[in-house]
Amino acid sequence: MSGFAELHPPFTPQAAVVEANRCLYCYDAPCTGACPTHIDVPRFIKQIAGANLNGAAQTILASNVLGLSCSRVCPVDVLCEGACVMHNLNKKPIEIGRLQRRAMDHFYESGGRLPQGAPSGKKVACIGAGPASLACAAELRRNGCAVTIFDKKPLAGGLNTYGVAQYKFTPEDSRKEVELLRAAGVEFRNGAEIGGNVNLNDRDFDAVFIGVGLGPTQPLGVPGENMPGVHNAIDFIAAYKTATPLPMGSRVVVIGGGNTAIDAAVAARRLGAADVTMIYRRTEADMSAFAFEYQHARHEGVQFRFQARPSAITGNGKVEAVECGADLRLPCDTVIVSIGQSKAVEAIAAANGIALEKGRVVAKPETGQTSNPKYFAGGDCVNGGREVVDAVAEGKRAAKGILAWLT
Ligand code: SF4
């Protein structure tokens, strides 16, 4: 799609080797400790330096089956690269994310496959086809379980397919990761909404993993929010990534202060909006978006108004302005709302006696097991909305919890 040039283009083969050779291969490496999935970073970088790209990819995948997406969407500045000892030496940190991408791109270009364990006779259902379920399914397949993933959307991949900004990661790349799991024997049932058009009979399975993510964006609760020209950020991003972009004018107001709001604002700029303003009800320091995402949005020409709380969206049959009290009126023709998502798990929890707290599934941190011992959970529906790599770590942990419980 034009206008969506990549933020961090891939290394050339030579540049990757040069960068890999800068690594000090630290003992007890802080980069590995800072990764929620604990990828053995010095090991895979050393394999790249030795031109063993397949070995590097297998090192990455052994800890993180979504190594491709994480190489693109991880906030590396605050994780592995932020922890790199090079900072202490006043040198540029090793570009771990781009090196990981080098190994993973090679793996997919060469038709790589995942190792599989001998069949154990155990069957597990995963509800939701996002990163947490994919990671859980991969770990279970590695240990010989039969896995079926149910998802209400037509395409698998969850937010990696529908919700990550195009300039970071495309649906085609997300599909590669889904196909890797399908090739490893995971069964996908898309268009299957548990509790909707499909009833899950949990007697058919030895255990169930819940990885349904979050629900729709919360309403703003102001007059005019249902007017034509008002979109929620998740729908806006999903539409331009997987289908046809939603209609958008040249003056856009984005309401919210998180990373999804930033993604939507940058996408609006790249889709051609001349004037994009983000408004946030608190201060710059209170924004939940990462600092580098905020700087990136500024660099892309997004403007910011802080301590501005919308009181109404006005217009005559279509959006004309966002009003923030009596003193601020922002003329616009499109409004994108991104103020956090409501939780999606209520129905599944109620039907299976699973405890929730503030709308999130209560799960043991070490195993992901819920108050119904046959049900495990992980990802955004447990943690309230974190990074892809956190969902992968929690999905993998739950798979280990399931395997321990089954034996
Ligand atoms: Fe290499 Fe930096 Fe990790 Fe040390 S901390 S192993 S230098 S990437």
Side-chain angles (χ1 to χ4, degrees):
M1 190 183 290
S2 65
F4 286 92
E6 290 189 60
L7 205 49
H8 301 293
F11 273 131
T12 63
Q14 297 81 356
V17 172
V18 170
E19 182 66 4
N21 275 310
R22 284 207 310 126
C23 178
L24 303 176
Y25 311 122
C26 305
Y27 177 74
D28 214 4
C31 49
T32 293
C35 173
T37 63
H38 302 305
I39 292 174
D40 189 339
V41 176
R43 180 179 163 86
F44 93 72
I45 293 183
K46 196 165 212 163
Q47 287 167 313
I48 292 176
N52 178 7
L53 289 173
N54 282 332
Q58 291 299 347
T59 299
I60 294 161
L61 290 166
S63 295
N64 182 339
V65 75
L66 300 191
L68 178 66
S69 46
C70 286
S71 77
R72 306 283 288 280
V73 306
C74 261
V76 289
D77 301 27
V78 295
L79 297 174
C80 54
E81 293 181 20
C84 179
V85 296
M86 290 293 187
H87 289 287
N88 306 342
L89 307 172
N90 287 325
K91 291 186 177 158
K92 200 161 78 74
I94 304 297
E95 290 195 65
I96 301 167
R98 285 175 81 199
L99 286 171
Q100 179 167 319
R101 178 176 175 187
R102 168 81 185 122
M104 295 314 307
D105 280 346
H106 174 85
F107 173 83
Y108 283 103
E109 280 158 19
S110 59
R113 288 278 179 268
L114 289 177
Q116 286 176 55
S120 67
K122 301 292 184 192
K123 286 163 70 176
V124 181
C126 295
I127 308 176
S133 279
L134 296 180
C136 182
E139 190 67 27
L140 292 168
R141 281 300 295 148
R142 207 193 306 274
N143 287 277
C145 300
V147 183
T148 308
I149 295 183
F150 297 86
D151 194 87
K152 64 181 178 185
K153 288 257 174 41
L155 298 174
L159 282 181
N160 272 359
T161 298
Y162 290 99
V164 175
Q166 185 89 8
Y167 58 92
K168 294 179 183 166
F169 196 59
T170 64
E172 294 75 46
D173 278 329
S174 179
R175 193 170 62 226
K176 288 181 193 166
E177 297 189 312
V178 170
E179 292 310 319
L180 182 69
L181 290 192
R182 203 191 304 275
V186 174
E187 186 192 343
F188 285 89
R189 289 192 49 196
N190 280 94
E193 184 175 11
I194 301 299
N197 60 349
V198 171
N199 280 321
L200 183 76
N201 185 348
D202 69 7
R203 282 189 295 264
D204 294 341
F205 297 93
D206 297 292
V208 180
F209 175 75
I210 306 170
V212 293
L214 299 173
T217 307
Q218 285 173 1
L220 265 179
V222 303
E225 70 174 309
N226 297 320
M227 210 179 309
V230 182
H231 309 302
N232 81 58
I234 301 290
D235 290 347
F236 180 77
I237 293 172
Y240 86 74
K241 284 196 69 173
T242 58
T244 314
L246 297 177
M248 184 190 74
S250 66
R251 289 186 301 180
V252 178
V253 169
V254 180
I255 301 170
N259 291 310
T260 303
I262 296 252
D263 281 350
V266 172
R269 280 287 293 155
R270 293 195 173 199
L271 286 165
D275 181 350
V276 179
T277 304
M278 251 179 82
I279 60 175
Y280 179 52
R281 65 198 160 103
R282 298 206 183 98
T283 67
E284 186 174 348
D286 294 321
M287 275 201 308
S288 62
F290 290 118
F292 65 89
E293 297 274 17
Y294 170 48
Q295 291 307 335
H296 170 61
R298 280 197 174 282
H299 182 71
E300 294 273 342
V302 176
Q303 299 170 60
F304 288 81
R305 302 292 292 252
F306 294 103
Q307 294 181 303
R309 184 190 285 268
S311 54
I313 298 171
T314 56
N316 196 358
K318 64 180 176 50
V319 172
E320 285 168 15
V322 173
E323 294 190 1
C324 303
D327 50 353
L328 179 63
R329 181 177 186 276
L330 294 166
C332 59
D333 34 45
T334 305
V335 177
I336 301 172
V337 182
S338 177
I339 55 161
Q341 289 168 269
S342 57
K343 312 294 180 287
V345 293
E346 278 85 1
I348 296 168
N352 297 290
I354 295 166
L356 300 180
E357 197 179 304
K358 294 187 184 152
R360 302 181 194 176
V361 179
V362 178
K364 290 182 190 158
E366 328 78 68
T367 60
Q369 194 168 35
T370 71
S371 57
N372 178 338
K374 190 170 181 175
Y375 284 73
F376 294 71
D380 286 356
C381 67
V382 174
N383 64 38
R386 296 185 68 186
E387 298 300 316
V388 172
V389 69
D390 295 301
V392 172
E394 291 177 23
K396 191 173 76 168
R397 202 175 306 147
K400 289 183 174 156
I402 290 170
L403 291 163
W405 185 70
L406 289 178
T407 51

